[in-house]
Amino acid sequence: MTTTFEDLRDGDTIEGPHFAVSRESIRLFCDASLDYNPLHLDDDYMKGHFGKTHFGGIIMHGMNNFGLISRMITDWAYPAGAVHRRLETRWVKPVRPGDTIQPTGIVKSKQTTANSRWVLIDVVVKNQAGEKVATGEAMVEFPGE
């Protein structure tokens, strides 16, 4: 969806790609990030308790959510000549092999400054059951004309 800053309205939505999480996709992210934490690789390790938390099996890297959100924002912004400038996220629920997740964004507000034009976007990643697994906020800059 190519859009212009002028056409954007509060409440407009952005849909990101669906992502099917597998043991292989988790392992590939381990290799790409050089993060081989047993949280992501070792089912036996994950049978234990971590304080009040019990995962019961390996989980996907939280940064994989971050990457999916970034892809969604960039795929939306770049064709319009805009630039993804900021992203803050919070991991809400673990993502496991077998889950399918999808990021979405909702335009929260627009602001024009002396040098540029800004769009604030609420972001959320949900699993196949509609449960939130990550939430956050992104900022996109539409350079001034």
Side-chain angles (χ1 to χ4, degrees), residues 2 26 36 58 67 69 73 104 108 114 133-134 137:
T2 302
I26 292 171
Y36 296 101
I58 66 169
I69 296 167
I73 297 294
T104 57
K108 184 176 180 178
V133 298
E137 187 175 82

Side-chain angles (χ1 to χ4, degrees), residues 68-88:
L68 287 172
I69 296 167
S70 292
R71 176 181 169 193
M72 173 188 70
I73 297 294
T74 302
D75 286 353
W76 172 80
Y78 184 77
V83 180
H84 178 196
R85 294 290 188 198
R86 182 175 62 84
L87 177 60
E88 297 177 11

Side-chain angles (χ1 to χ4, degrees), residues 5-55:
F5 181 82
E6 292 76 21
D7 290 338
L8 285 175
R9 300 287 177 258
D10 291 0
D12 284 354
T13 59
I14 306 162
E15 288 195 12
H18 288 87
F19 182 74
V21 180
S22 66
R23 289 180 173 278
E24 182 177 353
S25 71
I26 292 171
R27 178 59 190 222
L28 289 170
F29 198 88
C30 288
D31 292 341
S33 65
L34 300 177
D35 178 356
Y36 296 101
N37 189 313
L39 289 168
H40 312 300
L41 298 168
D42 187 342
D43 282 309
D44 289 334
Y45 176 80
M46 293 303 289
K47 288 178 183 173
H49 290 270
F50 304 88
K52 295 180 181 178
T53 304
H54 178 71
F55 292 106

Side-chain angles (χ1 to χ4, degrees), residues 92-131:
V92 178
K93 182 177 178 75
V95 177
R96 295 178 168 75
D99 285 344
T100 298
I101 57 175
Q102 180 187 24
T104 57
I106 299 173
V107 174
K108 184 176 180 178
S109 65
K110 298 185 334 181
Q111 181 178 1
T112 301
T113 63
N115 297 322
S116 203
R117 301 168 303 164
W118 301 90
V119 177
L120 194 59
I121 301 166
D122 282 331
V123 295
V124 63
V125 179
K126 292 182 179 179
N127 65 18
Q128 69 280 356
E131 301 166 319

